[in-house]
Amino acid sequence: MQFDLNKFITAAKKPFTASFSFDLSGYDWPGYQVPAPVAGTIAVTRTPQGAEIALNAEAAVKAECARCLAPVQETYQIAQQYTVRPVDLEDPDFELPLDEDGLLDVEELVYQEIVLAVPRVLLCSPDCLGLCPICGKRKAAGCTCQPAGEAAPADARLSILKQLLS
Ligand SMILES: [Zn+2]
Ligand SMILES: [Zn+2]
């Protein structure tokens, strides 16, 4: 979805609003998936300085817990506002994905905002105990392994020997 921001800033008489649903499943996501279409709205209004953009979207993210590999599903809300001045349309370093003609790539913008919104490390729960280093099972699932050293019951003969030696 392309929005002609250049034309809007110079000529629009009315605000612009649109709903969208983007299939972003094929994008390059850092360590998770966004399999379902991302739905949202974009609203653009003219201001004395240029334009105000309001972006809203909801993304369902699927991943594996970084500690125990259990499936994680989390929904993130995007609610962002941007101010655009005519001079920004000429700026190659401007934060919004605009081409040289002032066309805003709304799909790319939604992708960028999701990447910023989703934490780098996803966990099934904030206090996930991870996997047991002995049996490889999830600790939360009730593994009964004891850390090495505490596990073996004291050998009765050895303790008698210790008493004799002391
Ligand atoms: Zn976990
Ligand atoms: Zn275990």
Side-chain angles (χ1 to χ4, degrees):
M1 181 186 185
Q2 305 279 350
F3 178 75
D4 194 337
L5 205 49
N6 188 33
K7 192 173 154 196
F8 186 89
I9 281 185
T10 50
K13 296 200 168 55
K14 284 187 279 183
F16 169 87
T17 52
S19 302
F20 55 77
S21 178
F22 296 139
D23 176 8
L24 303 178
S25 59
Y27 277 67
D28 187 18
W29 299 103
Y32 49 83
Q33 300 296 316
V34 183
V38 176
T41 58
I42 180 167
V44 193
T45 46
R46 265 183 94 183
T47 64
Q49 290 76 36
E52 283 287 328
I53 303 172
L55 181 76
N56 285 278
E58 184 175 290
V61 169
K62 280 190 176 177
E64 281 180 342
C65 172
R67 288 187 199 150
C68 75
L69 308 179
V72 177
Q73 185 151 7
E74 205 69 64
T75 302
Y76 295 90
Q77 305 290 336
I78 310 292
Q80 289 291 337
Q81 305 252 352
Y82 317 92
T83 302
V84 188
R85 299 161 301 160
V87 65
D88 295 323
L89 301 178
E90 316 291 328
D91 181 357
D93 296 325
F94 187 52
E95 57 170 334
L96 298 178
L98 291 167
D99 72 4
E100 60 273 17
D101 296 322
L103 289 176
L104 174 68
D105 187 337
V106 182
E107 191 171 308
E108 178 70 25
L109 178 61
V110 172
Y111 165 71
Q112 289 179 7
E113 290 296 349
I114 296 170
V115 170
L116 290 173
V118 178
R120 296 207 149 246
V121 175
L122 291 162
L123 298 175
C124 63
S125 71
D127 53 356
C128 171
L129 296 172
L131 298 174
C132 168
I134 299 163
C135 70
K137 286 185 190 153
R138 291 179 62 209
K139 283 191 174 171
C143 112
T144 52
C145 302
Q146 300 286 321
E150 294 168 31
D155 189 305
R157 287 166 299 174
L158 264 179
S159 60
I160 290 168
L161 192 64
K162 267 187 191 165
Q163 281 173 25
L164 291 173
L165 289 171
S166 62

